[in-house]
Every structure is written in C-alpha cells, then in structure tokens.
C-alpha cells in the first residue's frame, strides 16, 4: 500500500469573499504576519485582486496615501481585510452575489516578483 499522509497545514492559498471582507486562509495569510496595512488593487481586464502588504516603516514615512491603506487583521489561522465598497466592485466584476451572507472562495497565490497576493476571480475554489 502506498498512502499519502494528509498535512494539517493547508498548502494552497484560498481567499473567501464576503459582502464586507476578504478572509484569507492560513496559507495565504502567512505573507501578512508583519503587515501594518495593505493596499487593495483590482485588475479589471484579467479579473484579479491584489493584496499588497505595507510595513509600519512604509506607512510612517507617508509613502502611501492614507486613503489607499486598508487595515488587515491577522490571527493565527486567518487574516481579514474589510472594505464593503471595494467588495461591491469585485462582486460586479465577477458577477457574483455577496448579499444574504453568500460567500465565494477563490485561489490565491503569492507573487514573489511583485511581493503581493493575487486572488484570481476566474479560478473559484471547489
């Protein structure tokens, strides 16, 4: 017999979209352990969300305008970014209904090159 033993740690990043927030699983949130804030970006052409960590130092020197910074809450098994207005734009782009406690899961991959997490709205998690 050749068993493959299951790990308790998820290896694939998953982002769950809700009406008011994006919740990242442990694998995806591991890149934000030292983030002070994040930037949220939306690529309308390729239907992708970018979540880029901002350090305290970057925040303190004022390199990024305050209205572009978003609070991230990082816990031991997940991270969460809240922005209802942004998620309405995402829902319109992805043609999903986030109302009535609906949620949708998408694959999330870390881009080393750009130092950001990419959530692909064309790749729902099954």
């Amino acid at each position: 017999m050749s068993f493959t033993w299951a790990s308790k740690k998820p290896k694939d990043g998953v982002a769950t979209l809700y009406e008011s927030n994006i919740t990242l699983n442990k694998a995806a949130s591991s890149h934000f352990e030292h983030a002070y804030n994040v930037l949220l970006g939306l690529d309308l052409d390729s239907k992708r969300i970018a979540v880029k960590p901002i350090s305290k130092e970057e925040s303190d020197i004022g390199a990024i305008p305050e209205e572009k910074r978003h609070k991230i809450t990082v816990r031991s098994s997940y991270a969460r970014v809240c922005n209802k207005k942004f998620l309405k734009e995402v829902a319109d782009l992805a043609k999903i209904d986030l109302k009535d406690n609906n949620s949708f899961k998408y694959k999330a991959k870390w881009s080393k090159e750009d130092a950001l997490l990419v959530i692909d709205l064309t790749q729902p998690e099954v």
Side-chain angles (χ1 to χ4, degrees):
M1 294 186 185
S2 60
F3 291 98
T4 302
W5 301 106
S7 171
K8 63 181 179 179
K9 290 186 178 181
K11 64 179 181 179
D12 295 330
V14 176
T16 307
L17 307 183
Y18 298 92
E19 186 176 14
S20 63
N21 70 74
I22 299 170
T23 300
L24 306 174
N25 73 345
K26 185 164 181 70
S29 68
S30 66
H31 303 285
F32 297 91
E33 290 171 353
H34 302 291
Y36 187 69
N37 292 112
V38 295
L39 291 173
L40 291 175
L42 192 54
D43 182 332
L44 300 174
D45 296 328
S46 61
K47 295 186 179 182
R48 297 182 307 169
I49 298 169
V51 185
K52 185 171 179 65
I54 302 170
S55 68
K56 176 128 174 63
E57 295 76 27
E58 289 172 304
S59 186
D60 287 346
I61 63 170
I64 295 135
E66 193 162 332
E67 69 273 4
K68 301 260 187 214
R69 299 182 223 159
H70 303 277
K71 186 176 186 290
I72 185 166
T73 303
V74 181
R75 299 287 186 245
S76 60
S77 61
Y78 70 93
R80 182 169 292 141
V81 181
C82 297
N83 186 321
K84 199 168 184 172
K85 181 182 174 287
F86 180 77
L87 281 149
K88 178 162 182 1
E89 289 179 51
V90 169
D92 291 345
L93 177 65
K95 295 178 178 36
I96 55 175
D97 180 10
L98 292 173
K99 293 184 177 143
D100 301 321
N101 291 327
N102 289 336
S103 64
F104 294 85
K105 293 181 184 284
Y106 293 94
K107 294 183 183 201
K109 291 195 171 143
W110 182 254
S111 168
K112 284 184 190 175
E113 183 182 323
D114 300 310
L116 53 81
L117 186 74
V118 177
I119 301 166
D120 192 337
L121 299 172
T122 66
Q123 291 191 20
E125 183 69 16
V126 275

